[in-house]
Every structure is written in structure tokens, then in C-alpha cells.
mmCIF file of all heavy atoms in Angstrom:
data_model
loop_
_atom_site.group_PDB
_atom_site.id
_atom_site.type_symbol
_atom_site.label_atom_id
_atom_site.label_comp_id
_atom_site.label_asym_id
_atom_site.label_seq_id
_atom_site.Cartn_x
_atom_site.Cartn_y
_atom_site.Cartn_z
ATOM 1 N N LYS A 6 0.846 -1.207 0.000
ATOM 2 C CA LYS A 6 0.000 0.000 0.000
ATOM 3 C C LYS A 6 0.875 1.249 0.000
ATOM 4 O O LYS A 6 0.603 2.213 -0.704
ATOM 5 C CB LYS A 6 -0.943 0.013 1.199
ATOM 6 C CG LYS A 6 -1.836 1.263 1.219
ATOM 7 C CD LYS A 6 -2.904 1.170 2.247
ATOM 8 C CE LYS A 6 -3.818 2.352 2.344
ATOM 9 N NZ LYS A 6 -3.592 3.519 1.558
ATOM 10 N N LEU A 7 1.957 1.231 0.785
ATOM 11 C CA LEU A 7 2.865 2.367 0.822
ATOM 12 C C LEU A 7 3.454 2.626 -0.552
ATOM 13 O O LEU A 7 3.499 3.774 -1.017
ATOM 14 C CB LEU A 7 3.976 2.128 1.848
ATOM 15 C CG LEU A 7 5.050 3.209 1.931
ATOM 16 C CD1 LEU A 7 4.449 4.557 2.306
ATOM 17 C CD2 LEU A 7 6.129 2.796 2.922
ATOM 18 N N LYS A 8 3.903 1.574 -1.241
ATOM 19 C CA LYS A 8 4.470 1.738 -2.587
ATOM 20 C C LYS A 8 3.435 2.326 -3.535
ATOM 21 O O LYS A 8 3.746 3.228 -4.323
ATOM 22 C CB LYS A 8 4.964 0.394 -3.122
ATOM 23 C CG LYS A 8 6.237 -0.090 -2.488
ATOM 24 C CD LYS A 8 6.626 -1.450 -3.081
ATOM 25 C CE LYS A 8 7.869 -2.017 -2.463
ATOM 26 N NZ LYS A 8 8.207 -3.345 -3.027
ATOM 27 N N ALA A 9 2.203 1.829 -3.460
ATOM 28 C CA ALA A 9 1.137 2.349 -4.320
ATOM 29 C C ALA A 9 0.869 3.822 -4.004
ATOM 30 O O ALA A 9 0.734 4.648 -4.911
ATOM 31 C CB ALA A 9 -0.135 1.524 -4.151
ATOM 32 N N ASP A 10 0.805 4.144 -2.719
ATOM 33 C CA ASP A 10 0.560 5.536 -2.313
ATOM 34 C C ASP A 10 1.704 6.451 -2.761
ATOM 35 O O ASP A 10 1.467 7.581 -3.190
ATOM 36 C CB ASP A 10 0.376 5.633 -0.800
ATOM 37 C CG ASP A 10 -0.913 4.994 -0.307
ATOM 38 O OD1 ASP A 10 -1.814 4.713 -1.134
ATOM 39 O OD2 ASP A 10 -1.020 4.770 0.913
ATOM 40 N N MET A 11 2.935 5.967 -2.657
ATOM 41 C CA MET A 11 4.093 6.775 -3.047
ATOM 42 C C MET A 11 4.074 7.105 -4.544
ATOM 43 O O MET A 11 4.584 8.148 -4.953
ATOM 44 C CB MET A 11 5.396 6.042 -2.702
ATOM 45 C CG MET A 11 5.678 5.981 -1.215
ATOM 46 S SD MET A 11 7.034 4.860 -0.775
ATOM 47 C CE MET A 11 8.434 5.624 -1.575
ATOM 48 N N ASN A 12 3.463 6.237 -5.333
ATOM 49 C CA ASN A 12 3.424 6.429 -6.779
ATOM 50 C C ASN A 12 2.104 7.010 -7.280
ATOM 51 O O ASN A 12 1.912 7.141 -8.486
ATOM 52 C CB ASN A 12 3.718 5.098 -7.483
ATOM 53 C CG ASN A 12 5.142 4.656 -7.250
ATOM 54 O OD1 ASN A 12 6.076 5.425 -7.420
ATOM 55 N ND2 ASN A 12 5.316 3.419 -6.827
ATOM 56 N N ALA A 13 1.224 7.367 -6.370
ATOM 57 C CA ALA A 13 -0.077 7.915 -6.758
ATOM 58 C C ALA A 13 0.093 9.306 -7.372
ATOM 59 O O ALA A 13 0.837 10.134 -6.843
ATOM 60 C CB ALA A 13 -1.004 7.974 -5.552
ATOM 61 N N PRO A 14 -0.570 9.581 -8.479
ATOM 62 C CA PRO A 14 -0.451 10.892 -9.138
ATOM 63 C C PRO A 14 -0.817 12.060 -8.220
ATOM 64 O O PRO A 14 -0.199 13.122 -8.286
ATOM 65 C CB PRO A 14 -1.425 10.808 -10.318
ATOM 66 C CG PRO A 14 -1.670 9.350 -10.526
ATOM 67 C CD PRO A 14 -1.452 8.673 -9.211
ATOM 68 N N GLU A 15 -1.809 11.859 -7.354
ATOM 69 C CA GLU A 15 -2.214 12.961 -6.474
ATOM 70 C C GLU A 15 -1.114 13.333 -5.480
ATOM 71 O O GLU A 15 -1.022 14.475 -5.036
ATOM 72 C CB GLU A 15 -3.523 12.660 -5.752
ATOM 73 C CG GLU A 15 -3.539 11.403 -4.932
ATOM 74 C CD GLU A 15 -3.987 10.156 -5.686
ATOM 75 O OE1 GLU A 15 -3.969 10.127 -6.926
ATOM 76 O OE2 GLU A 15 -4.361 9.189 -5.004
ATOM 77 N N VAL A 16 -0.246 12.374 -5.148
ATOM 78 C CA VAL A 16 0.880 12.676 -4.261
ATOM 79 C C VAL A 16 1.873 13.588 -4.988
ATOM 80 O O VAL A 16 2.368 14.560 -4.421
ATOM 81 C CB VAL A 16 1.553 11.378 -3.759
ATOM 82 C CG1 VAL A 16 2.856 11.674 -3.029
ATOM 83 C CG2 VAL A 16 0.600 10.604 -2.866
ATOM 84 N N ASP A 17 2.132 13.296 -6.267
ATOM 85 C CA ASP A 17 3.018 14.163 -7.050
ATOM 86 C C ASP A 17 2.467 15.581 -7.139
ATOM 87 O O ASP A 17 3.213 16.551 -7.013
ATOM 88 C CB ASP A 17 3.221 13.605 -8.466
ATOM 89 C CG ASP A 17 4.152 12.412 -8.493
ATOM 90 O OD1 ASP A 17 5.012 12.311 -7.588
ATOM 91 O OD2 ASP A 17 4.032 11.587 -9.419
ATOM 92 N N VAL A 18 1.163 15.705 -7.335
ATOM 93 C CA VAL A 18 0.521 17.024 -7.418
ATOM 94 C C VAL A 18 0.703 17.769 -6.095
ATOM 95 O O VAL A 18 1.075 18.950 -6.081
ATOM 96 C CB VAL A 18 -0.971 16.894 -7.786
ATOM 97 C CG1 VAL A 18 -1.701 18.219 -7.620
ATOM 98 C CG2 VAL A 18 -1.131 16.374 -9.204
ATOM 99 N N LEU A 19 0.468 17.099 -4.999
ATOM 100 C CA LEU A 19 0.588 17.721 -3.684
ATOM 101 C C LEU A 19 2.025 18.155 -3.406
ATOM 102 O O LEU A 19 2.271 19.275 -2.939
ATOM 103 C CB LEU A 19 0.104 16.755 -2.608
ATOM 104 C CG LEU A 19 0.043 17.285 -1.183
ATOM 105 C CD1 LEU A 19 -0.880 18.482 -1.087
ATOM 106 C CD2 LEU A 19 -0.416 16.193 -0.237
ATOM 107 N N ILE A 20 2.978 17.302 -3.716
ATOM 108 C CA ILE A 20 4.391 17.653 -3.508
ATOM 109 C C ILE A 20 4.767 18.850 -4.370
ATOM 110 O O ILE A 20 5.439 19.784 -3.914
ATOM 111 C CB ILE A 20 5.298 16.436 -3.778
ATOM 112 C CG1 ILE A 20 5.093 15.388 -2.678
ATOM 113 C CG2 ILE A 20 6.763 16.865 -3.864
ATOM 114 C CD1 ILE A 20 5.773 14.065 -2.950
ATOM 115 N N ARG A 21 4.338 18.866 -5.622
ATOM 116 C CA ARG A 21 4.642 19.987 -6.521
ATOM 117 C C ARG A 21 4.051 21.288 -5.981
ATOM 118 O O ARG A 21 4.706 22.328 -5.975
ATOM 119 C CB ARG A 21 4.116 19.668 -7.922
ATOM 120 C CG ARG A 21 4.615 20.598 -8.990
ATOM 121 C CD ARG A 21 4.296 20.161 -10.429
ATOM 122 N NE ARG A 21 3.070 19.401 -10.608
ATOM 123 C CZ ARG A 21 3.022 18.078 -10.809
ATOM 124 N NH1 ARG A 21 4.121 17.374 -10.851
ATOM 125 N NH2 ARG A 21 1.861 17.469 -10.980
ATOM 126 N N ARG A 22 2.797 21.234 -5.478
ATOM 127 C CA ARG A 22 2.176 22.444 -4.907
ATOM 128 C C ARG A 22 2.953 22.941 -3.695
ATOM 129 O O ARG A 22 3.132 24.146 -3.514
ATOM 130 C CB ARG A 22 0.720 22.153 -4.526
ATOM 131 C CG ARG A 22 -0.192 22.105 -5.721
ATOM 132 C CD ARG A 22 -1.663 21.911 -5.414
ATOM 133 N NE ARG A 22 -2.102 22.348 -4.126
ATOM 134 C CZ ARG A 22 -3.044 21.727 -3.407
ATOM 135 N NH1 ARG A 22 -3.629 20.634 -3.885
ATOM 136 N NH2 ARG A 22 -3.402 22.187 -2.235
ATOM 137 N N HIS A 23 3.415 22.031 -2.852
ATOM 138 C CA HIS A 23 4.185 22.430 -1.674
ATOM 139 C C HIS A 23 5.533 23.019 -2.065
ATOM 140 O O HIS A 23 5.985 23.993 -1.446
ATOM 141 C CB HIS A 23 4.352 21.249 -0.724
ATOM 142 C CG HIS A 23 3.090 20.902 -0.001
ATOM 143 N ND1 HIS A 23 2.909 19.710 0.633
ATOM 144 C CD2 HIS A 23 1.931 21.585 0.176
ATOM 145 C CE1 HIS A 23 1.705 19.675 1.173
ATOM 146 N NE2 HIS A 23 1.095 20.801 0.901
ATOM 147 N N HIS A 24 6.170 22.471 -3.080
ATOM 148 C CA HIS A 24 7.433 23.049 -3.562
ATOM 149 C C HIS A 24 7.213 24.467 -4.095
ATOM 150 O O HIS A 24 8.024 25.362 -3.830
ATOM 151 C CB HIS A 24 8.033 22.168 -4.652
ATOM 152 C CG HIS A 24 8.794 20.997 -4.120
ATOM 153 N ND1 HIS A 24 9.985 20.593 -4.647
ATOM 154 C CD2 HIS A 24 8.544 20.154 -3.107
ATOM 155 C CE1 HIS A 24 10.430 19.539 -3.981
ATOM 156 N NE2 HIS A 24 9.559 19.253 -3.042
ATOM 157 N N GLU A 25 6.133 24.652 -4.837
ATOM 158 C CA GLU A 25 5.822 25.981 -5.372
ATOM 159 C C GLU A 25 5.574 26.979 -4.245
ATOM 160 O O GLU A 25 6.052 28.118 -4.301
ATOM 161 C CB GLU A 25 4.622 25.908 -6.309
ATOM 162 C CG GLU A 25 4.924 25.179 -7.602
ATOM 163 C CD GLU A 25 3.679 24.839 -8.411
ATOM 164 O OE1 GLU A 25 2.538 25.160 -7.975
ATOM 165 O OE2 GLU A 25 3.840 24.226 -9.487
ATOM 166 N N LEU A 26 4.839 26.565 -3.226
ATOM 167 C CA LEU A 26 4.582 27.437 -2.078
ATOM 168 C C LEU A 26 5.890 27.766 -1.362
ATOM 169 O O LEU A 26 6.135 28.929 -1.021
ATOM 170 C CB LEU A 26 3.594 26.777 -1.114
ATOM 171 C CG LEU A 26 3.305 27.537 0.174
ATOM 172 C CD1 LEU A 26 2.734 28.919 -0.120
ATOM 173 C CD2 LEU A 26 2.363 26.731 1.064
ATOM 174 N N ALA A 27 6.728 26.779 -1.164
ATOM 175 C CA ALA A 27 8.024 27.016 -0.513
ATOM 176 C C ALA A 27 8.854 28.006 -1.315
ATOM 177 O O ALA A 27 9.489 28.912 -0.747
ATOM 178 C CB ALA A 27 8.774 25.696 -0.337
ATOM 179 N N ASP A 28 8.845 27.880 -2.632
ATOM 180 C CA ASP A 28 9.579 28.832 -3.481
ATOM 181 C C ASP A 28 9.036 30.250 -3.306
ATOM 182 O O ASP A 28 9.804 31.203 -3.171
ATOM 183 C CB ASP A 28 9.492 28.433 -4.954
ATOM 184 C CG ASP A 28 10.354 27.242 -5.301
ATOM 185 O OD1 ASP A 28 11.267 26.895 -4.516
ATOM 186 O OD2 ASP A 28 10.114 26.638 -6.371
ATOM 187 N N ARG A 29 7.712 30.383 -3.296
ATOM 188 C CA ARG A 29 7.115 31.716 -3.142
ATOM 189 C C ARG A 29 7.428 32.326 -1.781
ATOM 190 O O ARG A 29 7.595 33.533 -1.648
ATOM 191 C CB ARG A 29 5.602 31.653 -3.350
ATOM 192 C CG ARG A 29 5.200 31.442 -4.794
ATOM 193 C CD ARG A 29 3.724 31.735 -5.058
ATOM 194 N NE ARG A 29 2.809 31.073 -4.166
ATOM 195 C CZ ARG A 29 2.268 29.872 -4.359
ATOM 196 N NH1 ARG A 29 2.568 29.169 -5.417
ATOM 197 N NH2 ARG A 29 1.419 29.363 -3.481
ATOM 198 N N LEU A 30 7.529 31.488 -0.752
ATOM 199 C CA LEU A 30 7.825 31.979 0.593
ATOM 200 C C LEU A 30 9.315 32.196 0.836
ATOM 201 O O LEU A 30 9.697 32.783 1.838
ATOM 202 C CB LEU A 30 7.280 30.992 1.642
ATOM 203 C CG LEU A 30 5.771 30.871 1.729
ATOM 204 C CD1 LEU A 30 5.391 29.742 2.684
ATOM 205 C CD2 LEU A 30 5.142 32.187 2.174
ATOM 206 N N GLY A 31 10.140 31.688 -0.061
ATOM 207 C CA GLY A 31 11.577 31.837 0.116
ATOM 208 C C GLY A 31 12.190 30.770 1.013
ATOM 209 O O GLY A 31 13.284 30.960 1.550
ATOM 210 N N VAL A 32 11.502 29.662 1.186
ATOM 211 C CA VAL A 32 12.035 28.564 1.992
ATOM 212 C C VAL A 32 13.110 27.861 1.178
ATOM 213 O O VAL A 32 12.866 27.432 0.054
ATOM 214 C CB VAL A 32 10.924 27.565 2.384
ATOM 215 C CG1 VAL A 32 11.500 26.360 3.104
ATOM 216 C CG2 VAL A 32 9.877 28.254 3.235
ATOM 217 N N THR A 33 14.298 27.761 1.759
ATOM 218 C CA THR A 33 15.409 27.134 1.035
ATOM 219 C C THR A 33 15.913 25.870 1.705
ATOM 220 O O THR A 33 16.848 25.244 1.220
ATOM 221 C CB THR A 33 16.578 28.126 0.876
ATOM 222 O OG1 THR A 33 16.992 28.547 2.175
ATOM 223 C CG2 THR A 33 16.174 29.323 0.037
ATOM 224 N N GLY A 34 15.338 25.505 2.840
ATOM 225 C CA GLY A 34 15.778 24.299 3.527
ATOM 226 C C GLY A 34 14.786 23.899 4.593
ATOM 227 O O GLY A 34 13.771 24.562 4.801
ATOM 228 N N THR A 35 15.080 22.807 5.241
ATOM 229 C CA THR A 35 14.237 22.327 6.319
ATOM 230 C C THR A 35 15.065 22.153 7.570
ATOM 231 O O THR A 35 16.263 21.884 7.477
ATOM 232 C CB THR A 35 13.580 20.971 5.964
ATOM 233 O OG1 THR A 35 14.602 20.020 5.688
ATOM 234 C CG2 THR A 35 12.660 21.096 4.780
ATOM 235 N N PRO A 36 14.458 22.324 8.706
ATOM 236 C CA PRO A 36 13.064 22.721 8.855
ATOM 237 C C PRO A 36 12.889 24.214 8.600
ATOM 238 O O PRO A 36 13.852 24.981 8.615
ATOM 239 C CB PRO A 36 12.762 22.390 10.312
ATOM 240 C CG PRO A 36 14.067 22.563 11.018
ATOM 241 C CD PRO A 36 15.104 22.113 10.017
ATOM 242 N N ALA A 37 11.666 24.595 8.379
ATOM 243 C CA ALA A 37 11.288 26.000 8.267
ATOM 244 C C ALA A 37 9.853 26.113 8.777
ATOM 245 O O ALA A 37 9.053 25.200 8.588
ATOM 246 C CB ALA A 37 11.389 26.488 6.831
ATOM 247 N N PHE A 38 9.563 27.201 9.430
ATOM 248 C CA PHE A 38 8.239 27.396 10.018
ATOM 249 C C PHE A 38 7.699 28.751 9.585
ATOM 250 O O PHE A 38 8.458 29.717 9.495
ATOM 251 C CB PHE A 38 8.308 27.373 11.552
ATOM 252 C CG PHE A 38 8.951 26.125 12.096
ATOM 253 C CD1 PHE A 38 10.305 26.109 12.386
ATOM 254 C CD2 PHE A 38 8.208 24.979 12.301
ATOM 255 C CE1 PHE A 38 10.911 24.968 12.882
ATOM 256 C CE2 PHE A 38 8.807 23.831 12.796
ATOM 257 C CZ PHE A 38 10.164 23.826 13.083
ATOM 258 N N VAL A 39 6.412 28.826 9.351
ATOM 259 C CA VAL A 39 5.733 30.101 9.157
ATOM 260 C C VAL A 39 4.894 30.297 10.409
ATOM 261 O O VAL A 39 3.982 29.532 10.698
ATOM 262 C CB VAL A 39 4.853 30.108 7.900
ATOM 263 C CG1 VAL A 39 4.109 31.430 7.783
ATOM 264 C CG2 VAL A 39 5.700 29.843 6.656
ATOM 265 N N ILE A 40 5.262 31.320 11.173
ATOM 266 C CA ILE A 40 4.557 31.618 12.419
ATOM 267 C C ILE A 40 4.007 33.028 12.278
ATOM 268 O O ILE A 40 4.763 33.992 12.260
ATOM 269 C CB ILE A 40 5.490 31.497 13.641
ATOM 270 C CG1 ILE A 40 6.100 30.094 13.694
ATOM 271 C CG2 ILE A 40 4.721 31.818 14.922
ATOM 272 C CD1 ILE A 40 7.153 29.907 14.770
ATOM 273 N N GLY A 41 2.698 33.117 12.157
ATOM 274 C CA GLY A 41 2.083 34.411 11.880
ATOM 275 C C GLY A 41 2.520 34.865 10.502
ATOM 276 O O GLY A 41 2.332 34.168 9.519
ATOM 277 N N GLU A 42 3.149 36.013 10.444
ATOM 278 C CA GLU A 42 3.642 36.567 9.178
ATOM 279 C C GLU A 42 5.140 36.350 9.002
ATOM 280 O O GLU A 42 5.727 36.834 8.041
ATOM 281 C CB GLU A 42 3.342 38.077 9.123
ATOM 282 C CG GLU A 42 1.865 38.428 9.152
ATOM 283 C CD GLU A 42 1.158 38.032 7.871
ATOM 284 O OE1 GLU A 42 1.742 38.188 6.789
ATOM 285 O OE2 GLU A 42 0.008 37.540 7.978
ATOM 286 N N GLU A 43 5.748 35.620 9.930
ATOM 287 C CA GLU A 43 7.209 35.464 9.929
ATOM 288 C C GLU A 43 7.633 34.092 9.425
ATOM 289 O O GLU A 43 7.102 33.069 9.848
ATOM 290 C CB GLU A 43 7.743 35.659 11.359
ATOM 291 C CG GLU A 43 9.235 35.525 11.471
ATOM 292 C CD GLU A 43 9.740 35.642 12.905
ATOM 293 O OE1 GLU A 43 8.912 35.729 13.839
ATOM 294 O OE2 GLU A 43 10.955 35.624 13.086
ATOM 295 N N LEU A 44 8.610 34.081 8.529
ATOM 296 C CA LEU A 44 9.248 32.848 8.109
ATOM 297 C C LEU A 44 10.442 32.617 9.028
ATOM 298 O O LEU A 44 11.310 33.483 9.154
ATOM 299 C CB LEU A 44 9.728 32.941 6.656
ATOM 300 C CG LEU A 44 10.560 31.766 6.158
ATOM 301 C CD1 LEU A 44 9.748 30.478 6.188
ATOM 302 C CD2 LEU A 44 11.083 32.044 4.762
ATOM 303 N N VAL A 45 10.468 31.478 9.687
ATOM 304 C CA VAL A 45 11.539 31.138 10.627
ATOM 305 C C VAL A 45 12.309 29.964 10.032
ATOM 306 O O VAL A 45 11.878 28.821 10.117
ATOM 307 C CB VAL A 45 10.976 30.775 12.020
ATOM 308 C CG1 VAL A 45 12.109 30.484 12.984
ATOM 309 C CG2 VAL A 45 10.064 31.870 12.541
ATOM 310 N N PRO A 46 13.469 30.245 9.414
ATOM 311 C CA PRO A 46 14.246 29.150 8.828
ATOM 312 C C PRO A 46 15.082 28.447 9.887
ATOM 313 O O PRO A 46 15.551 29.058 10.842
ATOM 314 C CB PRO A 46 15.148 29.876 7.822
ATOM 315 C CG PRO A 46 15.328 31.237 8.392
ATOM 316 C CD PRO A 46 14.049 31.549 9.137
ATOM 317 N N GLY A 47 15.216 27.151 9.742
ATOM 318 C CA GLY A 47 16.077 26.401 10.646
ATOM 319 C C GLY A 47 15.360 25.943 11.898
ATOM 320 O O GLY A 47 14.232 26.316 12.183
ATOM 321 N N ALA A 48 16.061 25.097 12.632
ATOM 322 C CA ALA A 48 15.508 24.542 13.866
ATOM 323 C C ALA A 48 15.495 25.601 14.962
ATOM 324 O O ALA A 48 16.420 26.406 15.064
ATOM 325 C CB ALA A 48 16.339 23.342 14.312
ATOM 326 N N ILE A 49 14.436 25.604 15.731
ATOM 327 C CA ILE A 49 14.360 26.480 16.906
ATOM 328 C C ILE A 49 13.893 25.626 18.081
ATOM 329 O O ILE A 49 13.204 24.625 17.907
ATOM 330 C CB ILE A 49 13.421 27.690 16.688
ATOM 331 C CG1 ILE A 49 12.001 27.241 16.312
ATOM 332 C CG2 ILE A 49 13.986 28.632 15.641
ATOM 333 C CD1 ILE A 49 10.998 28.383 16.211
ATOM 334 N N ASP A 50 14.263 26.053 19.271
ATOM 335 C CA ASP A 50 13.858 25.288 20.451
ATOM 336 C C ASP A 50 12.394 25.590 20.792
ATOM 337 O O ASP A 50 11.805 26.542 20.285
ATOM 338 C CB ASP A 50 14.781 25.577 21.636
ATOM 339 C CG ASP A 50 14.774 27.036 22.031
ATOM 340 O OD1 ASP A 50 13.708 27.538 22.447
ATOM 341 O OD2 ASP A 50 15.836 27.685 21.935
ATOM 342 N N ALA A 51 11.832 24.756 21.644
ATOM 343 C CA ALA A 51 10.414 24.865 21.983
ATOM 344 C C ALA A 51 10.077 26.213 22.609
ATOM 345 O O ALA A 51 9.022 26.791 22.319
ATOM 346 C CB ALA A 51 10.008 23.723 22.912
#
């Protein structure tokens, strides 16, 4: 089931949309957080 899900066309669409959003927000790596209006790149403590 995992293999089938990994190859599902809708998964590719979702990943592509997330990449496009990350590009528009200026996200260049992970982790990254959007908190309110602020983009917080990199790991932060709790």
C-alpha cells in the first residue's frame, strides 16, 4: 500500500504544490516554520 501511495499521481501534485509554495515563501531548507507573518528558517527550540 505504501508503494502504491508513493506512486499515486495525487501525491506528485501535492508535492509539486508544496514546492511551489516554498519557493514563493523563500524557503530554502528544512526545517522552516511560518509563524504568523514570519518565516523562521532552521531549527528552533520549543
Side-chain angles (χ1 to χ4, degrees):
K6 180 170 180 355
L7 176 60
K8 286 179 182 179
D10 291 345
M11 289 169 64
N12 293 311
E15 57 270 19
V16 171
D17 285 333
V18 169
L19 185 59
I20 290 171
R21 192 170 31 256
R22 284 184 26 216
H23 287 163
H24 278 222
E25 291 168 0
L26 176 59
D28 286 343
R29 288 195 309 270
L30 293 173
V32 174
T33 58
T35 58
F38 305 94
V39 177
I40 303 174
E42 298 290 321
E43 180 183 5
L44 173 62
V45 182
I49 57 175
D50 60 63

